[in-house]
Amino acid sequence: GLAANGTGDVPSFTATNSGATPISGTITVTPTANGCTGTPMVYTITVNPPPTPIVGGPAAVCAFSGGHVYSTADVDNHVYLWTVNGGSIVLGQGTNSITVLWGADNGTTGEGSVQVTEYIQATTCSAVDVFTVDIIPLPAPVVTGPATVIVGSSAAYITTAIPGYGYSWNVTNGNITSGQGTPSINVTWSNTPGTGTVTITQLNIATGCVGSSAPYNVSITPAGNKVSGYFSYYNAGQTPLDGLTL
């Protein structure tokens, strides 16, 4: 701050106001020379209070999720400029409230942030608040199991079991006969040749984040033909029958 008195030039100083209303102070400069005192000059300084933005909103979000609202108190004749790191502003820029679409998780806790700069139009005073957001990665399940099956046959398909996760399976051109809601299912495939798919959706129960696998394609093939009966083979030369194909 500024000393209560002194001589020479008035040094530079920073005036602060932590209150909610303007405060004023005076600086009196009295010129002196050769033992004579001149007329004092009085300068009045008014220190306006800065705005006090405080951002509120979800502190943890799922990657690629939207509809998240962040806001600060709405004050008349104040202007708000928002910046989002790790996501994009869908609507609300310039107001006291924005809606954000978050992007991907990059593996670092607290990698997202929402910043607001609040301006007072009448005084041009401004202040900044930054709100840190943790972007949670989505589950990334993978399906394994037979990729080729015979029409009407049954097969098992699995994904990695993770404690605290929920499982929902979807099958096309086949029926889930057991295991729905678990990491492993049994499927009875269609009686018609073609292509089926198996997809698993995982829910992280603690975070509410959901992720699905890519469809796992399964080729449903016709059943082979079975030949039965007798055949005669006269082997005059008594040669080996190795490699005989019927």
Side-chain angles (χ1 to χ4, degrees):
L2 184 64
N5 53 66
T7 59
D9 295 335
V10 177
S12 62
F13 64 95
T14 300
T16 60
N17 180 358
S18 58
T21 58
I23 57 176
S24 297
T26 58
I27 297 177
T28 301
V29 179
T30 302
T32 59
N34 301 321
C36 298
T37 300
T39 303
M41 301 290 294
V42 178
Y43 299 89
T44 300
I45 299 175
T46 299
V47 182
N48 292 300
T52 55
I54 300 176
V55 178
V61 297
C62 299
F64 305 109
S65 61
H68 301 288
V69 176
Y70 296 85
S71 63
T72 187
D74 189 13
V75 181
D76 290 341
N77 300 316
H78 285 207
V79 176
Y80 305 87
L81 177 63
W82 296 87
T83 303
V84 172
N85 176 41
S88 59
I89 299 172
V90 177
L91 55 87
Q93 180 65 279
T95 74
N96 73 303
S97 177
I98 59 169
T99 301
V100 175
L101 171 64
W102 289 106
D105 161 72
N106 65 13
T108 303
T109 300
E111 68 276 12
S113 66
V114 178
Q115 174 181 301
V116 65
T117 303
E118 183 176 349
Y119 297 89
I120 301 176
Q121 290 181 302
T123 65
T124 69
C125 294
S126 65
V128 175
D129 187 46
V130 179
F131 187 81
T132 300
V133 178
D134 182 21
I135 303 176
I136 304 168
L138 302 181
V142 176
V143 176
T144 59
T148 302
V149 296
I150 296 173
V151 292
S153 65
S154 296
Y157 295 86
I158 64 173
T159 190
T160 302
I162 302 175
Y165 276 47
Y167 305 86
S168 178
W169 295 86
N170 183 66
V171 171
T172 63
N173 281 341
N175 295 308
I176 300 172
T177 55
S178 64
Q180 180 65 279
T182 75
S184 174
I185 58 169
N186 288 307
V187 176
T188 298
W189 290 105
S190 170
N191 289 318
T192 302
T195 299
T197 61
V198 180
T199 305
I200 176 66
T201 298
Q202 279 185 337
L203 164 67
N204 183 330
I205 296 172
T207 66
C209 297
V210 175
S212 296
S213 69
Y216 186 79
N217 293 322
V218 178
S219 178
I220 307 171
T221 62
N225 295 320
K226 182 179 179 180
V227 177
S228 63
Y230 299 92
F231 71 95
S232 297
Y233 176 74
Y234 179 67
N235 186 2
Q238 298 182 351
T239 56
L241 299 180
D242 295 345
L244 177 66
T245 301
L246 298 178

